[in-house]
Amino acid sequence: MKIHIPKLNETYVCEVNGREFTNGHLDIYKRELADALQFGVQQLETEVWTY
């Protein structure tokens, strides 16, 4: 499955085992801690793309 975030114009490949989606929340992996801290917690609309 892919998650597209229109506001960021980014699409992420998701490997879902059920735990990642909790009450509508998901985590986006950032390689660098500084990038993750800068991104922070956001409320964004997403589109789920299945393939």
Side-chain angles (χ1 to χ4, degrees), residues 1-3 12-21 51:
M1 153 173 38
K2 293 182 180 181
I3 300 292
Y12 300 90
V13 175
C14 297
E15 296 179 15
V16 179
N17 67 13
R19 296 182 316 166
E20 286 84 1
F21 295 103
Y51 56 95

Side-chain angles (χ1 to χ4, degrees), residues 4-44:
H4 178 71
I5 303 174
K7 182 178 178 181
L8 303 176
N9 197 28
E10 293 284 340
T11 302
Y12 300 90
V13 175
C14 297
E15 296 179 15
V16 179
N17 67 13
R19 296 182 316 166
E20 286 84 1
F21 295 103
T22 307
N23 296 325
H25 297 99
L26 59 93
D27 292 329
I28 296 175
Y29 173 78
K30 297 286 188 177
R31 185 178 304 265
E32 300 295 327
L33 176 59
D35 292 339
L37 293 172
Q38 182 178 8
F39 188 82
V41 176
Q42 299 185 29
Q43 291 186 0
L44 302 169

